[in-house]
Amino acid sequence: MAAAQTSSVGGKTRVAILISGRGSNMASLIAAAEAPDYPAEILLVASNRPEAPGLTYAAERGIPTRALDHRAYSSREAFDAALNAELEAAGIDLVCLAGFMRIFTAGFVETWAGRMINIHPSLLPLFKGVHTHEQALAAGVRLHGCTVHYVVPELDAGPIIAQGAVPVRPGDDSDALAARILVQEHRLYPQALALVAGGKARLDGARVVFSEEVPEVEGALLSL
Ligand code: GAR
């Protein structure tokens, strides 16, 4: 599978972020990409939900936005084709899913194989799908967390780039756990994107290959 291509303009990887709602992970990526030495630039934010608050946030920061209401398309294929056309028109190298709550066709995933990553709120391969914090509490795990991974056709099953862990504390409910993990998501995703966009992590078959020693991240339970 192809590794993410970097654009010739400024040597930065051209990134689109796909969202469905709040967009707090998107905001963390936008903030990271403002650093001059960050290896990615955010050139497009798109949502399948026109009312997504994250679209407004991105537009206010001068980032081009697109709302593609999935209800306006006759099929999953038609929606994915329209989205793909937007990504191609913007010259996108790498797609970041950030709370994008819609399943792609296998064809779309194949088109972007090795060039599309996602953040998921659990320590994969545990707790795929939705309601991950409820799943973790029901299972009684003492550690929970978040994962950045390449997207493959099977849901939440792609090769893992980075993970962050948090403790599950006595008395936690799903809201408390979600809030604790979101803090780690906002730290992890920009660092994982930097690895991919900077060519330090790439997909090689079913595994992620790291080109050099991956730095430890500050914080006892968070590691890349
Ligand atoms: C995040 O917790 C993200 O990990 C999760 O949705 C939330 C989006 O929040 N994603 C998934 O569950 C994907 N399966 P945000 O819009 O504030 O970034």
Side-chain angles (χ1 to χ4, degrees), residues 1-215:
M1 289 178 185
Q5 306 287 309
T6 52
S7 84
S8 53
V9 183
K12 294 197 178 206
T13 297
R14 298 170 64 90
V15 168
I17 305 174
L18 305 187
I19 63 171
S20 294
R22 178 177 57 182
S24 70
N25 277 288
M26 171 208 73
S28 75
L29 297 178
I30 290 172
E34 284 170 359
D37 60 347
Y38 196 76
E41 56 184 335
I42 313 301
L43 291 163
L44 180 68
V45 171
S47 175
N48 64 312
R49 293 197 172 276
E51 71 280 11
L55 284 177
T56 309
Y57 179 95
E60 285 171 356
R61 277 147 192 84
I63 297 172
T65 61
R66 297 284 184 278
L68 290 87
D69 188 341
H70 63 269
R71 293 162 295 196
Y73 294 87
S74 58
S75 66
R76 216 166 263 283
E77 285 76 12
F79 173 83
D80 285 3
L83 179 58
N84 193 55
E86 292 287 356
L87 297 171
E88 286 189 350
I92 295 305
D93 301 316
L94 182 70
V95 175
C96 290
L97 308 184
F100 188 72
M101 306 304 276
R102 189 171 165 81
I103 306 233
F104 292 118
T105 57
F108 184 91
V109 175
E110 183 55 35
T111 297
W112 290 93
R115 301 186 298 148
M116 181 158 62
I117 64 177
N118 177 48
I119 188 158
H120 180 77
S122 78
L123 290 172
L124 291 172
L126 290 174
F127 314 136
K128 296 175 179 174
V130 294
H131 307 306
T132 57
H133 312 309
E134 287 86 346
Q135 291 187 57
L137 289 169
V141 293
R142 303 304 315 280
L143 286 175
H144 186 33
C146 49
T147 301
V148 178
H149 63 94
Y150 282 100
V151 176
V152 297
E154 190 186 336
L155 187 68
D156 301 329
I160 290 170
I161 300 160
Q163 293 186 298
V166 301
V168 179
R169 298 201 177 117
D172 270 349
D173 60 14
S174 61
D175 287 345
L177 211 40
R180 194 174 306 128
I181 287 171
L182 197 62
V183 172
Q184 298 294 25
E185 292 188 47
H186 296 164
R187 297 175 66 194
L188 189 74
Y189 208 0
Q191 296 183 58
L193 171 57
L195 287 179
V196 173
K200 294 180 178 171
R202 66 180 172 82
L203 193 56
D204 183 8
R207 294 190 65 83
V208 178
V209 174
F210 298 93
S211 68
E212 57 189 60
E213 194 177 331
V214 175

